[in-house]
Amino acid sequence: MTDEMRTIIRESAARITETCGGEELFHARGCALPERAEVVDITEKLRALLFPGFFGDVSTARSEYAAGYALTGVCARLRVQLEAAFCYAGNGEIDVEEKAESVLKVFISSLPQVQKLLLCDVEAAFDGDPAAKSRTGVVFSYPGLHAITVYRLAHILYKEEVPFIPRIMTEYAHSLTSIDINAGAEIGRYFFIDHGTGVVIGETAVIGDFVKLYQGVTLGALSTRLGQKLAGVKRHPTLGNRVTVYSGASVLGGETVIGDDCVIGGNAFVTSSVPPHTRVSMKSPELTFREMNRTVWEKA
Amino acid sequence: MTDEMRTIIRESAARITETCGGEELFHARGCALPERAEVVDITEKLRALLFPGFFGDVSTARSEYAAGYALTGVCARLRVQLEAAFCYAGNGEIDVEEKAESVLKVFISSLPQVQKLLLCDVEAAFDGDPAAKSRTGVVFSYPGLHAITVYRLAHILYKEEVPFIPRIMTEYAHSLTSIDINAGAEIGRYFFIDHGTGVVIGETAVIGDFVKLYQGVTLGALSTRLGQKLAGVKRHPTLGNRVTVYSGASVLGGETVIGDDCVIGGNAFVTSSVPPHTRVSMKSPELTFREMNRTVWEKA
Amino acid sequence: MTDEMRTIIRESAARITETCGGEELFHARGCALPERAEVVDITEKLRALLFPGFFGDVSTARSEYAAGYALTGVCARLRVQLEAAFCYAGNGEIDVEEKAESVLKVFISSLPQVQKLLLCDVEAAFDGDPAAKSRTGVVFSYPGLHAITVYRLAHILYKEEVPFIPRIMTEYAHSLTSIDINAGAEIGRYFFIDHGTGVVIGETAVIGDFVKLYQGVTLGALSTRLGQKLAGVKRHPTLGNRVTVYSGASVLGGETVIGDDCVIGGNAFVTSSVPPHTRVSMKSPELTFREMNRTVWEKA
Amino acid sequence: MTDEMRTIIRESAARITETCGGEELFHARGCALPERAEVVDITEKLRALLFPGFFGDVSTARSEYAAGYALTGVCARLRVQLEAAFCYAGNGEIDVEEKAESVLKVFISSLPQVQKLLLCDVEAAFDGDPAAKSRTGVVFSYPGLHAITVYRLAHILYKEEVPFIPRIMTEYAHSLTSIDINAGAEIGRYFFIDHGTGVVIGETAVIGDFVKLYQGVTLGALSTRLGQKLAGVKRHPTLGNRVTVYSGASVLGGETVIGDDCVIGGNAFVTSSVPPHTRVSMKSPELTFREMNRTVWEKA
Amino acid sequence: MTDEMRTIIRESAARITETCGGEELFHARGCALPERAEVVDITEKLRALLFPGFFGDVSTARSEYAAGYALTGVCARLRVQLEAAFCYAGNGEIDVEEKAESVLKVFISSLPQVQKLLLCDVEAAFDGDPAAKSRTGVVFSYPGLHAITVYRLAHILYKEEVPFIPRIMTEYAHSLTSIDINAGAEIGRYFFIDHGTGVVIGETAVIGDFVKLYQGVTLGALSTRLGQKLAGVKRHPTLGNRVTVYSGASVLGGETVIGDDCVIGGNAFVTSSVPPHTRVSMKSPELTFREMNRTVWEKA
Amino acid sequence: MTDEMRTIIRESAARITETCGGEELFHARGCALPERAEVVDITEKLRALLFPGFFGDVSTARSEYAAGYALTGVCARLRVQLEAAFCYAGNGEIDVEEKAESVLKVFISSLPQVQKLLLCDVEAAFDGDPAAKSRTGVVFSYPGLHAITVYRLAHILYKEEVPFIPRIMTEYAHSLTSIDINAGAEIGRYFFIDHGTGVVIGETAVIGDFVKLYQGVTLGALSTRLGQKLAGVKRHPTLGNRVTVYSGASVLGGETVIGDDCVIGGNAFVTSSVPPHTRVSMKSPELTFREMNRTVWEKA
């Protein structure tokens, strides 16, 4: 390495270190941050626990000890992350051990119910997709189910007001599936997302039972221009039971309610409530047709 | 660990184990499930084989032994997965060893032809994208090519009626690229997908040669409300040769045929057939313009 | 393994090897290709350096030596990749060592400024998203920030005309976040992308300060039919300062300029310039409402 | 790579392949060989099971599920290795599944007793070594205990006439500890080996309770000149209860019996039986003393 | 898995769990045990720090930040292990954080001196072994140097009365090199062990400067029959400066002093003191010679 | 971290860095050092190549491409290490590329002959050890064979005067097996080392065919007091054909020749030549026997 390069490194390092020292963001507050990689791994261990034999170590997946063993490990490892999250966010003002213990009790008690819900979600996917060959195939491969699994786990922690971790979990699923379900959303039973890429479900959305969404559906806010002033305000829509929303449709606004048994057509842009039993479509997709010069394709 | 926590774990474990014992989904049927991680790794080994030097171990990639060595390994490892898939899905009623052997013969024989097709796809990407600096760069980075590579491999297995594995493969590519090509689709030569996020190509879609798709394009079904009753029915469109579909457009329906040399404009929503040599556009995208209060941007 | 299978492998291997021998694409030119996995790992090491404590090894992240140590490692490893890229692309006609040294100087000197920009981007995300609980949470989980981080790093290399590597970096981020920012784009300060799935920002796009994009936004070209003939031509739009573009909107064309303080509404399709302080919306989203048969939902 | 090197590789590869094809040793017999790395890993999993909390994953080591979970995994993985071993060695003439099942039953049933024995061995080490600070330290670090642990596990398989695997296990321990205990030896309770390097305990050795050996002790054969003709013959000594053998001593021969409560002194070379309650020493170690030139140490 | 096997596993698991519950050894005492794998990795990181460029990550080994960065990491990770060790051994009666902090200060302050001593040890090895081609080769490969490096690190911790960890470190080196140096021994400068297999240096041994040992040398106790009653008593010998002990020799007893400049011949068994400047040899190694039957070698 | 600790780290780091800057040993000479871990991995790849199916990846071990593929990889990776070794040792005065190429040609051409020799060594082990159940078991587990395999590979490089690497290889084997064979020794066919712990074979030893050594045998120098002045001098013994040396025996001196068909008894200490067909034994191992107090064994 040349002396010049050594000097450049020294100067850049000094400036970066200085910024890190002065920025509030990088203050450790006497405790560790949660670790994203660990949170992700715990999440996958939970998925393997809830669908034994499909993911992770096959040889022990179906033993009578598997669930207890997995829960013990999750409990120990999640505790560390919970304590870090409460410590860091709480600025030293909460009893992190007690809080972590209390969250863990709720979380672990809830897992059997989460498993039951997910089995319904598998059923919904199999029933709803003609390309599904079997329930087994749904569990193995469907990104929608993967995203919902992670959401259902993260949602428990969100309700317990755990900082950072629910969002790390759902953004992990978002990264894998391109389905962005905020851990705060309320979602009912038999939920199915087909293909899923680009689906966005906002923090205050409410979704009933037997709902089906396609790729590119946004359940979003009308505007976020007010930024943090909107924190806590309901700004995403409510969907009733048995609603289907086709690909590319947007349903926006916290006061927008889609009634039971509605169907929202592809690309529809809905910003106000819809009564039950209504099919909403974009008005005759208007297209122009023009004959083209026949020599278009020369090389590419 | 407190005794209370121990009790909670014990109860949750018992309930999860009970569910697993009673659910049809978790019955092992005397054989292993395929392993997703192994299928994914085999897929990547095949990609490295078809584009030697670009992925995986560089030091041996171009030796005269590399292809034979890689094929031997793929053959051994894919065989295990094929046997597991046929065993599990077949419920013990097929000769899994014979079936796996037969599929492997077809699969391995087809690989040279797949490589030839992929070299055409590289050419299509380079010709079609002004941002492409070189064919080499296309192979390294283009998600469209990655998705097509995996699709072309999975499609061979789909045609051989292999359970689970083709879908695991294409959903792996979907996860990486946000491009969802069902392994059942029929796709011609010189295929290019630019950017690609959100592209969905349904199971019964048929695509000609020299076709180009942009991000957010759906080649989908009009409705899947009938669910499993539609299994096997052609419900996705047919595209001719030299068709271009711009970003966000949807072409829906199993009887929809887009003729040769058509161009489908951005965001167009097409649900019926289009004759050859036609440019289809959304009618003058109607927009409203409103002057805004000049004090919009205070802080955020 | 049967003799027949052995023969099939031998023949497939021979044909693949023959193709690899004859194809220009696979010629090594006496030097190695860059390695994608290494480029990706260097990118993540840089992210960990710029946000110390959030990613990677926690125990040393905040030491006064961390930045210098990380920069030394990045310098050594990136040099190898730069030399490979220049060697391979340059066909032996450039002094790769000198070129790599010169790029490294610029790159490492620029990192403190990149860090400063990213801290502004964090601020923009926190201010702009009511669901953001803290700046810390933004750094941990927001895919928009991840994509912008990688873009800002890749952009330095793009300006230095490094082959392959900038695109490998941005496509890595694309794969994780479904946000596709070409390394060539020019992007100002306080940039925020919310949700992000499906965002496409083309190579010649120019973006001002305090700009906010939502999922599914395309800043694209009007047509790429001319392929490589368009290389180097400005074909993507220019956005002024304080512009917001809502989800699903497309802004297309190299001569399209969106003035300062504009708001582009959801799903809007904009192909010509817009004066400052203008809100552009799709004209009253036209929808049809039809009451549905009340027996729609039988099983699925 | 030069053409000359390519030719050299081709010729060496051909000759090696030819040898492998013609050598009996490399015939696969239609079944896999056991895998050394897998056997080693199973062995370490068993050690972690028997000393929970000391080795392997700490977070779950003491849960009530740990033992059951570990046994399930060992059972599944060891079964594969047992079947491979019986298949390969048996030349297709035994029912490998039945044999593996039967061995597994014995093996898993014996583990609680092995654990009890090992706890006695820990006690013997603590009592016998003034440098031992605690029983905990003995479990963590003492190579003698490590070698005995592996021996006690391998011995069960040896008695069940499992091919290959017992030796792979004890040679693994030999590699780590330099203590070479043949899996065939019979060893009593409260066994302690101090330091241990160079200890050799032959296949037909018999050792009583409360025996203590030091480094470099050989319990060996008088001659092995007859090679395979000696297979099965008792050719290593028998040690009674409460025998101590100091460092470097050799006790040789199948008919050599060391009675209860004997002490064999350092470097003693014993080839015939010794009655109980006897201390055997090398006769006054004869040494010569010579004054040295005082300028010996010039540089090193 | 058969029901019978399931029952066997259940019973074995229950018995093992019961033993673990009842045995003092397995009581966790409300704190973690140190982790052997972590201690070993810290040890290797320290070796890489002291010999930069020889072990571990080469690309950063010689940067000006390497030492500070490595020390920061070691400090954080060793602290965790120290706290665990003091907590576990101390039974809750010591302030583990204060104790760990105090040990770390001594340890890290001592490292530069350890490095200086090791450079002398390299010199001693190079000077003392005609087979040594270079000092570089000594650092890379000599097991004696490896064992001494680990000993010199462990010795600092031993003097600080750290439980478990010094022994874990030296037994790790013992496992790799078959050289067993107790962390309690006192060893001077320019120490060389050639070949090294089987060397044992007891806890209370004292060794001067410029000492050279060969393989199989024991510096041991005369008897350890009294077990724990001897804890703390000097029971291993003292060697003066410039002493050489040839292979297989034993020097035993806490009151045995080998004077400066002595040479102890191969296989000598020394149990009492030797004045300075003395060469001690086994008296004329008495051998018998017998002509053999010339047909000894038939097959093997 | 406290400020005091930060200061301690800063000072220790500074002193270590200063030493590294000033010490000749740590000068990089403008090129990398060889990497021990890489050399070790190449060595194991070669062992897997020579005994296909026994070590490493089983699924491809016996394909017709395995040898060529493995040799290509070894060639590429060993070349890097050879260039580093010649560069570092040569101080820039040799053409390292040419030298590496020339060594590689010899090395790769020699491998088939090495394999043939090793198959003879397997035969020797099976014939010579009554505890050997099969040739397969010998390959899997015998440390003697492991050490000889590595020696035979390293010896080719030693003869080509490669710096560092042969010793790194044999010390790797020494670490695993406690058998220390210097790469410079000349060893004939059908060589067997039983148990092996503590065997030392010096750099200038010469060993005929059909030789058998037991644990603890030293073929060493009489004195190394002259250190580097002895470099290159024959200082280790010569053994004829069909010689057996029993455990613990030492044969010392460069002029010592053990004739064909000799047997050296256990613990014999031989420093001068022995004519052919001679059995050499320690004269009647003189022992004393003393009856012991019968109350010796109270607790331990």
Side-chain angles (χ1 to χ4, degrees), chain A residues 298-300, chain B residues 126-127 129-130, chain C residues 224-233:
Chain A
E298 290 158 26
K299 180 161 178 216
Chain B
F126 179 66
D127 287 347
D129 180 10
Chain C
T224 57
R225 194 155 51 85
L226 293 176
Q228 288 294 328
K229 285 169 200 152
L230 292 170
V233 176

Side-chain angles (χ1 to χ4, degrees), chain C residues 139-156:
Chain C
V139 178
F140 257 131
S141 318
Y142 274 46
L145 184 68
H146 198 164
I148 296 166
T149 301
V150 175
Y151 153 77
R152 294 208 187 277
L153 295 167
H155 184 57
I156 311 172

Side-chain angles (χ1 to χ4, degrees), chain D residues 108 133 178 195 214 288 290, chain E residues 12 178 180 203 224 279 281:
Chain D
I108 289 178
K133 307 300 187 214
S178 297
H195 307 298
Y214 284 82
T288 62
R290 180 164 59 81
Chain E
S12 279
S178 297
D180 180 356
E203 185 181 21
T224 56
R279 165 181 289 274
S281 314

